Amino acid sequence: MLTQKQHDLLIFIHKRIEASGVSPSFDEMKEALDLRSKSGIHRLIKALEERGFIRRIAHRARALEVIKLPQDLAPSAPVAAASESSVVSLDDHRPGPVAVPMVGRIAAGTPIAALQQEGEFVDVPLDIMTSGEHYALEVQGDSMINAGILDGDTVVIKRADTAGQGDIVVALIDEEEATLKRLRKRGDTVALEAANPDYETRIFGPDRVKVQGKLVGLLRRY
């Protein structure tokens, strides 16, 4: 079942595609739903994707496709019957990739919060995804090469504020520096361990390190 905002956005996207053949921009969606920021639109689109109502068309800007419409349309938002080109039975299609926000590069000295790039997404295969929220980062550097993570790779991160012994995590140090390292807990300290002998393990007090997510997948282009 859709929330009212999800329902309204779905109908707005459907009507715009029916009229012009092109899905609306994030700014147009934001104005249509009277939202203050595009981050709210991102969340609504993600929810509609997860529920199978829309999907993104890879490698095309502003490319959304309406897969199905709700059976019971709200009276406040009537629409014309969907055309054959805009409504496709999910039984006829295998689930496609999930669009995950690309928030920037994982680089020393730059906190993740400062890297948010609204409107940029990367398609992630469904079998990589787990429950919860996810984001993607481009890796810079070679500190994790022995874990199979190379410079230029895209890592898929599940948002989390805790992690287990040996998990590869996005760690924020002193609210300033974000890094991708293996987490080790040593008594009252936290060790961030590289997967490259050229880099030393860094030891911190527990109040200096915040976990911002755990590695769940990796994408690489050849």
Coordinates of all heavy atoms in Angstrom, one line a residue, residues 61-140:
A61 N 19.5 9.8 -18.7 CA 19.1 10.8 -17.7 C 17.6 10.9 -17.7 O 16.9 10.8 -18.7 CB 19.8 12.1 -18.0
R62 N 17.1 11.2 -16.5 CA 15.6 11.5 -16.3 C 14.8 10.3 -16.9 O 13.8 10.6 -17.6 CB 15.2 12.8 -17.0 CG 15.7 14.0 -16.2 CD 15.3 15.3 -16.9 NE 13.9 15.4 -17.1 CZ 13.2 16.4 -17.6 NH1 13.9 17.4 -18.1 NH2 11.9 16.4 -17.7
A63 N 15.3 9.1 -16.8 CA 14.6 8.0 -17.4 C 13.9 7.1 -16.3 O 14.6 6.2 -15.7 CB 15.6 7.2 -18.2
L64 N 12.6 7.3 -16.1 CA 11.8 6.5 -15.2 C 10.8 5.8 -16.0 O 10.2 6.5 -17.0 CB 11.2 7.4 -14.1 CG 12.1 8.0 -13.1 CD1 11.3 8.9 -12.2 CD2 12.9 7.0 -12.3
E65 N 10.4 4.6 -15.7 CA 9.4 3.9 -16.4 C 8.4 3.4 -15.4 O 8.7 2.9 -14.3 CB 10.0 2.7 -17.1 CG 8.9 1.9 -17.9 CD 9.5 0.7 -18.6 OE1 10.7 0.4 -18.4 OE2 8.8 0.1 -19.4
V66 N 7.1 3.7 -15.7 CA 6.0 3.3 -14.8 C 5.7 1.8 -15.1 O 5.3 1.5 -16.3 CB 4.8 4.1 -14.9 CG1 3.6 3.6 -14.1 CG2 5.1 5.6 -14.5
I67 N 5.8 0.9 -14.2 CA 5.6 -0.5 -14.4 C 4.1 -0.8 -14.1 O 3.5 -1.6 -14.9 CB 6.5 -1.3 -13.4 CG1 7.9 -1.0 -13.7 CG2 6.2 -2.8 -13.7 CD1 8.4 -1.3 -15.1
K68 N 3.6 -0.3 -13.1 CA 2.1 -0.5 -12.8 C 1.6 0.7 -12.0 O 2.3 1.5 -11.5 CB 2.0 -1.8 -12.0 CG 2.6 -1.8 -10.6 CD 2.3 -3.0 -9.9 CE 2.9 -3.0 -8.5 NZ 2.7 -4.2 -7.7
L69 N 0.3 0.8 -12.0 CA -0.4 1.8 -11.3 C -1.2 1.1 -10.2 O -1.6 0.0 -10.3 CB -1.4 2.6 -12.2 CG -0.7 3.5 -13.2 CD1 -1.8 4.0 -14.2 CD2 0.1 4.6 -12.6
P70 N -1.5 1.9 -9.1 CA -2.3 1.3 -8.0 C -3.7 0.9 -8.5 O -4.3 1.6 -9.3 CB -2.4 2.4 -6.9 CG -2.0 3.6 -7.6 CD -1.1 3.2 -8.8
Q71 N -4.3 -0.2 -8.0 CA -5.6 -0.6 -8.5 C -6.7 0.3 -8.1 O -7.7 0.5 -8.8 CB -5.9 -2.0 -7.9 CG -4.9 -3.1 -8.5 CD -5.2 -4.5 -7.9 OE1 -6.1 -4.6 -7.0 NE2 -4.6 -5.5 -8.5
D72 N -6.5 0.9 -6.9 CA -7.5 1.8 -6.4 C -7.0 3.2 -6.4 O -6.3 3.6 -5.4 CB -7.9 1.4 -5.0 CG -9.1 2.3 -4.4 OD1 -9.7 2.9 -5.2 OD2 -9.3 2.3 -3.2
L73 N -7.2 4.0 -7.4 CA -6.7 5.4 -7.5 C -7.5 6.3 -6.5 O -8.7 6.2 -6.5 CB -6.8 5.9 -8.9 CG -5.9 5.2 -10.0 CD1 -6.1 5.8 -11.3 CD2 -4.5 5.2 -9.6
A74 N -6.7 7.2 -5.9 CA -7.4 8.1 -5.0 C -8.2 9.1 -5.8 O -7.8 9.5 -6.8 CB -6.3 8.9 -4.2
P75 N -9.4 9.4 -5.3 CA -10.3 10.4 -6.0 C -9.6 11.7 -6.3 O -10.0 12.4 -7.3 CB -11.5 10.5 -5.1 CG -11.5 9.3 -4.2 CD -10.0 9.0 -4.0
S76 N -8.7 12.1 -5.4 CA -8.1 13.4 -5.6 C -7.1 13.4 -6.7 O -6.6 14.5 -7.1 CB -7.4 13.8 -4.3 OG -6.4 12.9 -4.0
A77 N -6.8 12.3 -7.3 CA -5.7 12.3 -8.3 C -6.1 11.3 -9.4 O -5.4 10.3 -9.7 CB -4.4 11.8 -7.7
P78 N -7.2 11.6 -10.1 CA -7.6 10.7 -11.2 C -6.7 10.8 -12.4 O -6.1 11.9 -12.7 CB -9.0 11.2 -11.6 CG -9.0 12.7 -11.2 CD -8.1 12.8 -10.0
V79 N -6.5 9.7 -13.1 CA -5.7 9.7 -14.3 C -6.4 8.8 -15.4 O -7.2 8.0 -15.1 CB -4.3 9.1 -14.0 CG1 -3.5 9.9 -13.0 CG2 -4.4 7.7 -13.5
A80 N -5.9 9.1 -16.6 CA -6.5 8.3 -17.7 C -5.9 6.9 -17.6 O -4.9 6.6 -17.0 CB -6.1 8.9 -19.0
A81 N -6.6 6.0 -18.3 CA -6.1 4.6 -18.3 C -4.7 4.5 -18.9 O -4.4 5.2 -19.8 CB -7.1 3.7 -19.1
A82 N -3.8 3.7 -18.3 CA -2.5 3.6 -18.7 C -2.4 3.0 -20.1 O -3.1 2.0 -20.4 CB -1.6 2.9 -17.7
S83 N -1.4 3.4 -20.9 CA -1.2 2.8 -22.2 C -0.4 1.5 -22.0 O 0.2 1.2 -21.0 CB -0.5 3.7 -23.1 OG 0.9 3.9 -22.6
E84 N -0.4 0.7 -23.1 CA 0.3 -0.6 -23.0 C 1.8 -0.3 -22.8 O 2.5 -1.1 -22.2 CB 0.1 -1.4 -24.3 CG -1.4 -1.9 -24.4 CD -1.5 -2.7 -25.7 OE1 -0.5 -2.9 -26.4 OE2 -2.7 -3.2 -25.9
S85 N 2.3 0.8 -23.3 CA 3.8 1.1 -23.2 C 4.2 1.5 -21.8 O 5.4 1.4 -21.5 CB 4.1 2.2 -24.2 OG 3.5 3.4 -23.9
S86 N 3.3 2.0 -21.0 CA 3.7 2.4 -19.7 C 3.3 1.5 -18.6 O 3.7 1.7 -17.4 CB 3.0 3.8 -19.4 OG 1.6 3.7 -19.4
V87 N 2.5 0.5 -18.8 CA 2.2 -0.5 -17.8 C 2.6 -1.9 -18.3 O 2.1 -2.3 -19.4 CB 0.7 -0.5 -17.5 CG1 0.3 -1.5 -16.5 CG2 0.2 0.9 -17.1
V88 N 3.4 -2.5 -17.5 CA 3.9 -3.9 -17.9 C 3.7 -4.8 -16.7 O 4.0 -4.4 -15.6 CB 5.4 -3.8 -18.3 CG1 5.9 -5.2 -18.7 CG2 5.6 -2.8 -19.4
S89 N 3.2 -6.0 -16.9 CA 3.1 -6.9 -15.8 C 4.4 -7.3 -15.2 O 5.4 -7.6 -16.0 CB 2.3 -8.1 -16.3 OG 2.4 -9.1 -15.3
L90 N 4.5 -7.3 -13.9 CA 5.8 -7.7 -13.3 C 6.1 -9.2 -13.6 O 7.3 -9.6 -13.6 CB 5.8 -7.5 -11.8 CG 5.8 -6.0 -11.3 CD1 5.7 -6.0 -9.8 CD2 7.0 -5.3 -11.8
D91 N 5.1 -9.9 -13.9 CA 5.3 -11.3 -14.3 C 6.1 -11.5 -15.5 O 6.7 -12.5 -15.8 CB 4.0 -12.1 -14.4 CG 3.2 -12.1 -13.1 OD1 3.9 -12.1 -12.0 OD2 2.0 -12.3 -13.1
D92 N 6.1 -10.4 -16.4 CA 6.8 -10.5 -17.7 C 8.2 -10.1 -17.5 O 9.0 -10.1 -18.5 CB 6.1 -9.6 -18.7 CG 4.7 -10.1 -18.9 OD1 4.4 -11.3 -18.8 OD2 3.8 -9.3 -19.3
H93 N 8.7 -9.6 -16.4 CA 10.0 -9.0 -16.2 C 10.7 -9.5 -15.0 O 10.0 -9.6 -13.9 CB 9.9 -7.5 -16.2 CG 9.5 -6.8 -17.4 ND1 10.4 -6.4 -18.4 CD2 8.3 -6.6 -17.9 CE1 9.7 -5.9 -19.4 NE2 8.4 -6.0 -19.2
R94 N 11.9 -9.9 -15.1 CA 12.7 -10.2 -13.9 C 13.0 -8.8 -13.2 O 13.2 -7.8 -13.9 CB 14.0 -10.9 -14.3 CG 13.7 -12.3 -14.9 CD 15.1 -12.9 -15.3 NE 15.8 -13.2 -14.0 CZ 17.1 -13.7 -14.1 NH1 17.7 -13.9 -15.2 NH2 17.7 -13.9 -13.0
P95 N 13.1 -8.8 -11.9 CA 13.5 -7.6 -11.2 C 14.8 -7.0 -11.7 O 15.8 -7.7 -11.8 CB 13.6 -8.0 -9.7 CG 12.8 -9.3 -9.6 CD 12.9 -10.0 -11.0
G96 N 14.8 -5.7 -12.0 CA 16.0 -5.1 -12.5 C 16.9 -4.6 -11.3 O 16.6 -4.8 -10.2
P97 N 18.0 -3.8 -11.7 CA 18.8 -3.3 -10.6 C 18.1 -2.2 -9.8 O 17.2 -1.7 -10.2 CB 20.0 -2.7 -11.5 CG 19.4 -2.4 -12.8 CD 18.4 -3.5 -13.0
V98 N 18.7 -2.0 -8.7 CA 18.2 -1.0 -7.7 C 19.1 0.3 -7.9 O 20.3 0.2 -7.8 CB 18.2 -1.5 -6.3 CG1 17.7 -0.4 -5.3 CG2 17.3 -2.7 -6.2
A99 N 18.4 1.5 -8.0 CA 19.2 2.7 -8.0 C 19.6 3.1 -6.6 O 18.7 3.4 -5.8 CB 18.3 3.8 -8.7
V100 N 20.9 3.2 -6.4 CA 21.4 3.6 -5.1 C 22.1 4.9 -5.2 O 22.9 5.1 -6.2 CB 22.4 2.5 -4.6 CG1 23.2 2.9 -3.4 CG2 21.7 1.2 -4.3
P101 N 21.9 5.9 -4.3 CA 22.6 7.2 -4.4 C 24.1 7.1 -4.3 O 24.6 6.4 -3.4 CB 22.0 8.0 -3.2 CG 21.5 6.9 -2.3 CD 21.1 5.8 -3.1
M102 N 24.8 7.7 -5.2 CA 26.3 7.8 -5.2 C 26.6 9.1 -4.4 O 26.4 10.2 -4.9 CB 26.8 7.9 -6.6 CG 28.3 8.2 -6.7 SD 29.4 6.9 -6.0 CE 29.5 5.8 -7.5
V103 N 27.1 9.0 -3.2 CA 27.3 10.1 -2.4 C 28.7 10.8 -2.5 O 29.0 11.8 -1.9 CB 27.1 9.8 -0.9 CG1 25.7 9.3 -0.7 CG2 28.1 8.9 -0.3
G104 N 29.6 10.2 -3.3 CA 30.9 10.8 -3.5 C 32.0 9.8 -3.5 O 31.8 8.6 -3.7
R105 N 33.2 10.3 -3.1 CA 34.4 9.5 -3.0 C 34.8 9.3 -1.6 O 34.6 10.2 -0.8 CB 35.6 10.2 -3.8 CG 35.3 10.2 -5.3 CD 36.4 11.0 -5.9 NE 36.3 11.0 -7.4 CZ 37.0 11.8 -8.2 NH1 38.0 12.5 -7.7 NH2 36.8 11.7 -9.5
I106 N 35.3 8.1 -1.3 CA 35.8 7.8 0.1 C 37.3 8.3 0.1 O 38.2 7.6 -0.5 CB 35.6 6.4 0.5 CG1 36.0 6.1 1.9 CG2 36.3 5.4 -0.5 CD1 35.0 6.6 2.9
A107 N 37.6 9.4 0.6 CA 38.9 10.0 0.6 C 39.3 10.6 1.9 O 38.4 11.2 2.5 CB 39.0 11.1 -0.5
A108 N 40.5 10.5 2.3 CA 40.9 11.0 3.6 C 40.7 12.5 3.7 O 41.0 13.2 2.7 CB 42.4 10.7 3.8
G109 N 40.2 13.0 4.8 CA 40.0 14.4 5.1 C 38.7 14.9 4.7 O 38.4 16.1 4.9
T110 N 37.8 14.1 4.1 CA 36.5 14.6 3.7 C 35.4 13.8 4.3 O 35.3 12.6 4.0 CB 36.4 14.5 2.2 OG1 37.5 15.1 1.6 CG2 35.1 15.2 1.7
P111 N 34.6 14.4 5.2 CA 33.5 13.6 5.8 C 32.4 13.3 4.8 O 32.2 14.0 3.9 CB 33.0 14.6 6.9 CG 33.4 15.9 6.5 CD 34.7 15.7 5.7
I112 N 31.8 12.1 5.0 CA 30.8 11.7 4.1 C 29.6 12.7 4.0 O 29.1 12.9 2.9 CB 30.2 10.3 4.6 CG1 31.3 9.2 4.4 CG2 29.0 9.9 3.7 CD1 31.7 9.0 3.1
A113 N 29.3 13.3 5.1 CA 28.2 14.3 5.0 C 28.4 15.4 4.1 O 27.5 16.0 3.6 CB 27.9 14.9 6.4
A114 N 29.7 15.7 3.8 CA 30.0 16.8 2.8 C 30.0 16.4 1.4 O 30.2 17.2 0.5 CB 31.3 17.5 3.2
L115 N 29.8 15.1 1.2 CA 30.0 14.6 -0.2 C 28.7 14.3 -0.9 O 28.7 13.9 -2.0 CB 30.8 13.3 -0.1 CG 32.2 13.4 0.3 CD1 32.8 12.0 0.5 CD2 33.0 14.1 -0.8
Q116 N 27.5 14.6 -0.3 CA 26.3 14.3 -0.9 C 26.1 15.0 -2.2 O 26.2 16.2 -2.3 CB 25.1 14.6 0.0 CG 23.7 14.2 -0.5 CD 23.5 12.8 -0.4 OE1 23.9 12.1 0.5 NE2 22.9 12.2 -1.5
Q117 N 25.8 14.2 -3.3 CA 25.6 14.7 -4.6 C 24.1 14.4 -5.0 O 23.9 13.3 -5.6 CB 26.6 14.2 -5.6 CG 28.0 14.5 -5.2 CD 29.0 13.8 -6.1 OE1 28.7 13.1 -7.0 NE2 30.3 14.0 -5.8
E118 N 23.2 15.2 -4.8 CA 21.8 14.9 -5.1 C 21.6 14.6 -6.6 O 22.1 15.3 -7.4 CB 20.9 16.0 -4.7 CG 20.8 16.1 -3.1 CD 19.7 17.1 -2.7 OE1 19.1 17.7 -3.6 OE2 19.4 17.2 -1.5
G119 N 20.8 13.6 -6.9 CA 20.5 13.3 -8.3 C 21.4 12.3 -8.9 O 21.1 11.9 -10.0
E120 N 22.5 11.9 -8.3 CA 23.4 10.9 -8.9 C 23.1 9.6 -8.3 O 23.1 9.4 -7.0 CB 24.9 11.3 -8.6 CG 25.3 12.6 -9.4 CD 26.8 12.8 -9.4 OE1 27.5 11.8 -9.1 OE2 27.2 13.9 -9.6
F121 N 23.0 8.6 -9.1 CA 22.7 7.2 -8.7 C 23.5 6.2 -9.4 O 24.0 6.5 -10.5 CB 21.2 6.9 -8.9 CG 20.2 7.6 -8.0 CD1 19.9 8.9 -8.3 CD2 19.7 7.0 -6.9 CE1 19.0 9.6 -7.5 CE2 18.8 7.7 -6.0 CZ 18.5 9.0 -6.3
V122 N 23.7 5.0 -8.9 CA 24.3 3.9 -9.5 C 23.4 2.7 -9.5 O 22.8 2.5 -8.5 CB 25.7 3.6 -8.9 CG1 25.6 3.3 -7.4 CG2 26.4 2.6 -9.7
D123 N 23.3 2.0 -10.6 CA 22.5 0.8 -10.6 C 23.2 -0.4 -9.9 O 24.3 -0.8 -10.3 CB 22.1 0.4 -12.0 CG 21.1 1.4 -12.6 OD1 20.3 1.9 -11.9 OD2 21.2 1.6 -13.9
V124 N 22.6 -1.0 -8.9 CA 23.2 -2.1 -8.1 C 22.4 -3.3 -8.3 O 21.1 -3.3 -8.2 CB 23.3 -1.7 -6.6 CG1 23.8 -2.9 -5.8 CG2 24.1 -0.5 -6.5
P125 N 23.0 -4.5 -8.7 CA 22.2 -5.7 -8.8 C 21.4 -6.1 -7.6 O 21.9 -5.9 -6.4 CB 23.3 -6.8 -9.1 CG 24.4 -6.0 -9.7 CD 24.4 -4.6 -9.0
L126 N 20.2 -6.6 -7.7 CA 19.4 -6.8 -6.6 C 20.0 -7.8 -5.6 O 19.7 -7.7 -4.4 CB 18.0 -7.3 -7.1 CG 16.9 -7.4 -6.1 CD1 16.5 -6.0 -5.6 CD2 15.6 -8.0 -6.8
D127 N 20.8 -8.8 -6.1 CA 21.3 -9.8 -5.2 C 22.4 -9.3 -4.3 O 22.8 -9.9 -3.3 CB 21.8 -11.0 -6.0 CG 22.9 -10.6 -7.0 OD1 23.3 -9.4 -7.1 OD2 23.4 -11.5 -7.7
I128 N 22.9 -8.0 -4.5 CA 23.9 -7.4 -3.6 C 23.2 -6.8 -2.4 O 23.7 -6.7 -1.3 CB 24.7 -6.4 -4.4 CG1 25.7 -7.1 -5.3 CG2 25.5 -5.5 -3.4 CD1 26.6 -6.1 -6.1
M129 N 21.9 -6.3 -2.7 CA 21.2 -5.5 -1.7 C 20.8 -6.4 -0.5 O 20.5 -7.6 -0.6 CB 20.0 -4.9 -2.3 CG 20.3 -4.0 -3.5 SD 21.4 -2.6 -3.1 CE 20.1 -1.6 -2.3
T130 N 20.8 -5.7 0.7 CA 20.2 -6.3 1.9 C 19.1 -5.4 2.4 O 18.8 -4.4 1.8 CB 21.3 -6.5 3.0 OG1 21.8 -5.2 3.3 CG2 22.5 -7.3 2.5
S131 N 18.5 -5.7 3.5 CA 17.5 -4.9 4.1 C 18.1 -3.6 4.6 O 19.3 -3.6 4.9 CB 16.7 -5.6 5.2 OG 17.6 -5.9 6.2
G132 N 17.4 -2.5 4.6 CA 17.9 -1.3 5.1 C 18.3 -0.3 4.0 O 18.1 -0.6 2.8
E133 N 18.9 0.8 4.4 CA 19.3 1.9 3.4 C 20.7 1.7 3.0 O 21.6 1.2 3.7 CB 19.2 3.3 4.1 CG 17.7 3.6 4.5 CD 17.7 5.0 5.0 OE1 18.7 5.8 4.9 OE2 16.6 5.4 5.6
H134 N 21.0 2.0 1.7 CA 22.3 1.8 1.1 C 22.7 3.1 0.4 O 21.9 3.9 -0.1 CB 22.2 0.7 0.1 CG 21.9 -0.7 0.7 ND1 20.7 -1.0 1.1 CD2 22.7 -1.7 1.0 CE1 20.7 -2.2 1.6 NE2 21.9 -2.7 1.6
Y135 N 24.0 3.2 0.2 CA 24.6 4.3 -0.6 C 25.9 3.7 -1.2 O 26.4 2.7 -0.8 CB 24.9 5.6 0.2 CG 25.8 5.4 1.4 CD1 27.2 5.6 1.2 CD2 25.4 5.1 2.6 CE1 28.1 5.6 2.3 CE2 26.2 5.0 3.7 CZ 27.6 5.3 3.5 OH 28.5 5.2 4.6
A136 N 26.4 4.5 -2.2 CA 27.6 4.0 -2.9 C 28.7 5.1 -2.8 O 28.4 6.3 -2.7 CB 27.2 3.7 -4.4
L137 N 29.9 4.6 -2.9 CA 31.1 5.5 -2.9 C 32.1 5.0 -3.9 O 32.3 3.8 -4.1 CB 31.7 5.5 -1.5 CG 31.0 6.1 -0.3 CD1 31.6 5.7 1.0 CD2 31.0 7.6 -0.4
E138 N 32.8 6.0 -4.5 CA 33.9 5.7 -5.4 C 35.2 5.6 -4.5 O 35.5 6.5 -3.7 CB 34.1 6.7 -6.5 CG 35.3 6.4 -7.4 CD 35.5 7.5 -8.4 OE1 34.6 8.2 -8.7 OE2 36.6 7.5 -9.0
V139 N 35.9 4.5 -4.6 CA 37.1 4.3 -3.8 C 38.3 5.1 -4.4 O 38.6 5.0 -5.7 CB 37.5 2.8 -3.7 CG1 38.8 2.6 -3.0 CG2 36.4 2.1 -3.0
Q140 N 39.0 5.8 -3.6 CA 40.3 6.4 -4.0 C 41.4 5.8 -3.2 O 41.3 5.7 -2.0 CB 40.3 7.9 -3.7 CG 39.5 8.7 -4.8 CD 39.7 10.2 -4.6 OE1 39.8 10.7 -3.5 NE2 39.9 10.9 -5.7

